[in-house]
Amino acid sequence: VDAARCVPVALGDRSYTVHIEPGCLRELGSVLARVVDAERAVVVTSERVGALYGAVVTESLARAGLGSSTIVVPDGDRAKSLAQLSDIFDRLVACGADRDTFLVAVGGGAVGDLAGLAAATYLRGVPWVQVPTTLLAQADASVGGKTAVNHPAGKNLIGAFHQPRLVWIDPRVLRTLPARELRSGMAEVVKSAVIWDPQMFAWLEVHAERVPALDTDAVAHALERAVAVKAEIVGRDEREGGIRALLNFGHTLGHAIEAASGFGEVLHGEAISLGMVFAARRSRRIGLPARDVDRIVSLLERLGLPVVLADTPAQWCAYRRALAHDKKRRDGLFWMVLLREIGRAELSPCTLDEMLEGRTAA
Ligand SMILES: NC(=O)c1ccc[n+]([C@@H]2O[C@H](COP(=O)([O-])OP(=O)(O)OC[C@H]3O[C@@H](n4cnc5c(N)ncnc54)[C@H](O)[C@@H]3O)[C@@H](O)[C@H]2O)c1
Ligand SMILES: [Zn+2]
């Protein structure tokens, strides 16, 4: 049975629902007519996703009596530039978008981040909804209201917090997602279990492969749990003053790997898989049992994610350079996320040298 699962994100007057239901894409129009008190939709999507699902979305909006226009941006992180953001503003102005307009992001995390930043800033903020179409975006990126574009100097350097009014997830769209993208998305699912949900981790140890194989129940369960973890954390710390940073488990080194490889070469989930292995090993120092390190590494390995870091001096030089630019440093310190046990993470301050354990003396 394809029952709907709804996860609330509790943020006072910015609260919203994450709705997960196979086949729900074609119902988007009718729910939007109820949820958003605006009359016109501007759909932001990417070339590939627009070709696959654009018509279903616009037909659904039309059936619900919502007028819409569509803005198509490039696939992947090429969409996340100031030039693309500027193009969106041009298009919004040209089609007379006003405060009765809302944006609908239909695509992966890149489209969501771009459209969200446009929604956060156009007319000082218009409503928006997320229709994520990758596993990574459904399990993680679409929830929590972080939006951004990249700067040549670094990823996500220009952004804003702007919560969507609704996150509408149709897991069936994952059928057209390349296998490598599915595996990459699994890394965020594993991450949420590792930092917060030991039962989910145990479930993954039994059922993990069923998710990238797109078993309907397993996908729904994995999405529901990952989203619930993120919703709970964001509900307690919307703007990352504290525990929201736990969601960055594996991301400090992960981002450095992405930057060092030139963005796009290594997928986000692949990089954070390596970052999680690194952070799990480091967590031995604060008491994570060796057995739990092994459990994390073998789960990632089983999912076809990389677990062996390129460990040459040249590589560490590149990671060091990338880490030196990390925007999350405060007073020169990194806040690395470490584990006491599976399901219990904490923030631990360390210097760049401690982080790299003296590898590649500069
Ligand atoms: N805002 C957040 O909290 C947050 C969290 C994590 C990641 N992100 C951002 O998300 C981005 C990565 O997102 P992503 O992994 O979804 O990658 P992506 O958005 O680049 O999408 C990956 C590729 O899959 C294609 N695609 C998307 N849906 C498809 C479908 N259903 N069928 C076939 N092809 C499809 C896209 O066109 C693209 O080529 C990064 O820019 C990252 O910074 C944001
Ligand atoms: Zn991530």
Side-chain angles (χ1 to χ4, degrees):
V1 253
D2 289 353
R5 302 174 189 227
C6 293
V7 181
V9 184
L11 289 168
D13 59 4
R14 293 183 308 291
S15 297
Y16 53 99
T17 300
V18 182
H19 181 100
I20 305 163
E21 184 185 7
C24 70
L25 190 63
R26 62 181 117 79
E27 311 303 330
L28 180 67
S30 54
V31 70
L32 288 184
R34 272 181 283 128
V35 168
V36 189
D37 49 359
E39 286 146 20
R40 258 171 59 88
V42 175
V43 176
V44 180
T45 189
S46 67
E47 283 157 16
R48 192 186 321 168
V49 178
L52 287 164
Y53 303 108
V56 180
V57 169
T58 40
E59 276 159 27
S60 167
L61 293 169
R63 257 187 285 122
L66 289 164
S68 73
S69 29
T70 301
I71 300 175
V72 180
V73 300
D75 289 295
D77 256 55
R78 282 180 306 141
K80 287 178 54 175
S81 71
L82 278 177
Q84 288 297 330
L85 183 65
S86 183
D87 274 2
I88 292 188
F89 295 143
D90 292 346
R91 294 285 308 272
L92 290 172
V93 170
C95 72
D98 57 15
R99 290 187 183 283
D100 274 328
T101 305
F102 63 99
L103 301 194
V104 184
V106 182
V111 165
D113 278 11
L114 172 72
L117 183 55
T121 48
Y122 186 68
L123 303 178
R124 294 201 188 85
V126 293
W128 72 303
V129 296
Q130 286 259 37
V131 184
T133 62
T134 63
L135 181 59
L136 185 136
Q138 295 187 343
D140 184 357
S142 63
V143 180
K146 276 194 188 177
T147 74
V149 295
N150 303 326
H151 184 274
K155 224 173 128 77
N156 299 335
L157 284 190
I158 303 144
F161 286 98
H162 187 44
Q163 299 293 342
R165 296 287 177 90
L166 174 75
V167 181
W168 194 250
I169 298 180
D170 183 349
R172 269 188 209 155
V173 302
L174 300 177
R175 290 175 184 173
T176 52
L177 193 67
R180 187 175 168 204
E181 296 283 353
L182 276 174
R183 285 197 296 273
S184 171
M186 283 307 289
E188 301 282 11
V189 174
V190 171
K191 176 199 76 181
S192 53
V194 167
I195 61 165
W196 201 261
D197 190 343
Q199 276 179 309
M200 177 59 181
F201 191 88
W203 182 88
L204 283 169
E205 288 184 302
V206 181
H207 300 290
E209 290 88 354
R210 289 173 56 200
V211 182
L214 298 184
D215 172 297
T216 306
D217 290 335
V219 171
H221 182 69
L223 287 175
E224 184 181 24
R225 287 313 312 155
V227 166
V229 167
K230 186 146 186 196
E232 188 177 347
I233 292 176
V234 168
R236 292 196 208 177
D237 176 22
E238 184 181 8
R239 290 183 169 243
E240 202 163 315
I243 63 162
R244 184 164 180 171
L246 298 181
L247 291 164
N248 297 329
F249 179 64
H251 281 59
T252 309
L253 187 65
H255 283 148
I257 292 168
E258 285 180 274
S261 73
F263 292 105
E265 196 60 39
V266 180
L267 297 184
H268 180 69
E270 295 167 350
I272 68 159
S273 175
L274 294 165
M276 287 193 284
V277 172
F278 181 77
R281 297 220 165 99
R282 176 63 57 87
S283 302
R284 294 277 292 120
R285 284 182 203 175
I286 63 161
L288 183 70
R291 210 184 83 77
D292 285 351
V293 178
D294 292 343
R295 288 172 69 196
I296 294 167
V297 175
S298 24
L299 179 58
L300 293 168
E301 213 167 12
R302 261 175 64 188
L303 287 165
L305 286 159
V307 295
V308 181
L309 192 62
D311 197 16
T312 63
Q315 280 294 340
W316 282 103
C317 246
Y319 301 151
R320 172 182 287 271
R321 260 196 314 275
L323 283 164
H325 287 114
D326 193 302
K327 70 178 188 294
K328 293 220 162 105
R329 263 199 307 177
R330 292 221 181 124
D331 307 323
L333 289 179
F334 289 95
W335 286 86
M336 220 185 145
V337 183
L338 298 178
L339 303 169
R340 290 227 174 251
E341 53 190 87
I342 287 173
R344 194 149 67 93
E346 65 182 47
L347 288 165
S348 155
C350 65
T351 64
L352 180 56
D353 283 315
E354 283 164 354
M355 167 98 196
L356 297 175
E357 297 178 304
R359 268 176 272 222
T360 66

